[in-house]
């Protein structure tokens, strides 16, 4: 079995659930207490990804970047070398979706080959008829990106989303 390691950054505005998504994926835990990330927090998880002709053991180095709407010069240095990213927005705060365009632009400027997916987080706090699916699909389509409706609290689609990104990285 081949083993590889890839750097994956989680980016998005403050309080969209980046840290909670990492905690759910790595430790299968959730904590209601909000603690703002300062700078960056790095975690890792190894997953097995089926690939032809072999299976690959992928270690994902997950860089949870502090959320910020304004340009942060440190964020560019954290993004350097990333092969993948999860761009996270909050379904209860629709204004966090269009702000992902600036994060995508910054990611492509610093790491042009990076693959990314979108996480529409906090699904557990939105009624099904309130989901802005057309907006999400249109936004994701502009960037040819997959998106997942996730809940870090319930674990909905978190594992599936990270595994999809893992397949894109190998």
């Amino acid at each position: 079995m081949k083993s590889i390691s890839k750097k994956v950054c989680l980016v998005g505005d403050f309080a969209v659930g980046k840290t909670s998504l990492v905690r759910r994926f790595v430790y299968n835990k959730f904590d209601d207490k909000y603690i703002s990330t300062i700078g960056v927090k790095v975690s890792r998880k190894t997953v097995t990804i089926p690939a032809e002709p072999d299976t690959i053991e992928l270690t994902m180095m997950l860089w949870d970047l502090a959320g910020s709407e304004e340009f942060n010069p440190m964020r560019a240095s954290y993004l350097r070398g990333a092969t993948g990213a999860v761009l996270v927005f909050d379904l209860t705060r629709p204004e966090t979706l269009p702000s992902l365009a600036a994060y995508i632009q910054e990611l492509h400027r610093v790491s042009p080959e990076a693959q990314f997916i979108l996480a529409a987080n906090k699904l557990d706090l939105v009624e099904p008829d309130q989901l802005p699916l057309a907006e999400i699909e249109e936004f994701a389509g502009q960037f040819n990106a997959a998106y997942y409706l996730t809940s870090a609290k319930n674990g909905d689609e978190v594992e599936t989303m990270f595994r999809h990104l893992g397949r894109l990285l190998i």
Side-chain angles (χ1 to χ4, degrees):
M1 182 180 320
K2 183 177 177 185
S3 295
I4 57 174
S5 180
K6 300 286 183 173
K7 178 179 179 179
V8 173
C9 293
L10 278 86
V11 294
D13 291 347
F14 76 96
V16 294
K18 298 178 298 290
T19 301
S20 293
L21 285 169
V22 170
R23 189 177 296 134
R24 173 59 71 184
F25 178 58
V26 175
Y27 305 108
N28 198 26
K29 292 186 178 178
F30 178 80
D31 188 349
D32 277 350
K33 295 181 209 80
Y34 175 71
I35 299 173
S36 183
T37 302
I38 298 171
V40 65
K41 181 179 188 306
V42 180
S43 303
R44 76 171 181 213
K45 181 169 178 174
T46 301
V47 293
T48 303
I49 305 287
E52 293 297 324
D54 216 358
T55 301
I56 295 179
E57 190 174 77
L58 172 64
T59 299
M60 299 174 96
M61 301 303 296
L62 302 164
W63 289 53
D64 175 9
L65 279 56
S68 171
E69 287 74 33
E70 71 276 348
F71 175 74
N72 178 342
M74 287 304 295
R75 189 170 53 233
S77 67
Y78 294 144
L79 289 171
R80 198 162 289 113
T83 56
V86 178
L87 290 103
V88 185
F89 69 98
D90 181 342
L91 286 166
T92 69
R93 295 175 19 228
E95 69 276 9
T96 62
L97 173 59
S99 69
L100 291 182
Y103 293 102
I104 293 168
Q105 183 179 20
E106 189 177 3
L107 174 67
H108 279 289
R109 185 178 55 76
V110 176
S111 295
E113 302 301 315
Q115 301 289 319
F116 65 89
I117 54 176
L118 307 177
N121 198 33
K122 302 187 184 181
L123 180 63
D124 57 292
L125 299 177
V126 179
E127 294 300 319
D129 61 335
Q130 294 176 314
L131 282 173
L133 286 178
E135 273 181 63
I136 297 167
E137 287 173 4
E138 181 183 340
F139 185 88
Q142 290 174 15
F143 299 98
N144 196 27
Y147 71 88
Y148 285 85
L149 302 173
T150 62
S151 168
K153 183 174 187 176
N154 300 336
D156 297 342
E157 293 295 306
V158 176
E159 184 83 20
T160 304
M161 175 188 68
F162 278 103
R163 286 185 173 277
H164 179 176
L165 181 59
R167 285 190 305 278
L168 293 176
L169 298 179
I170 56 172

